[in-house]
Amino acid sequence: MDFLFTLLSAVPLANAGGAVGAGLAAIAAGIGIGQIGKGAVESIARQPEAANDIRANMILTAAFIEGVALFAVIAGILAMFV
């Protein structure tokens, strides 16, 4: 089993997979946070009196997405080097 793991980690495609995974995670996080911002601006435009609550929820959700994206990027980088 160790031989198979060593063989697969030495293949350049495994490194490329880690790089692609890390890149996709970063791009998806950017798109997700953009959608959150878009929704928050639209919600504040429709209901200005709830702006503080909407803004707080937007920041919290964006922070969660950043955390998951950071985890995914680190996992992709580890896949390239391990």
Side-chain angles (χ1 to χ4, degrees):
M1 186 69 177
D2 289 332
F3 172 73
L4 182 61
F5 179 74
T6 305
L7 181 66
L8 287 177
S9 65
V11 175
L13 289 177
N15 292 339
V20 168
L24 285 176
I27 291 170
I31 292 171
I33 292 173
Q35 291 293 321
I36 291 170
K38 174 186 163 216
V41 169
E42 288 176 356
S43 298
I44 291 171
R46 291 177 189 213
Q47 201 170 12
E49 64 273 5
N52 289 332
D53 292 335
I54 294 169
R55 188 178 302 115
N57 287 329
M58 176 191 69
I59 291 171
L60 182 65
T61 307
F64 285 146
I65 289 178
E66 284 289 331
V68 171
L70 179 65
F71 179 73
V73 168
I74 296 297
I77 290 172
L78 283 175
M80 291 183 343
F81 295 114
V82 174

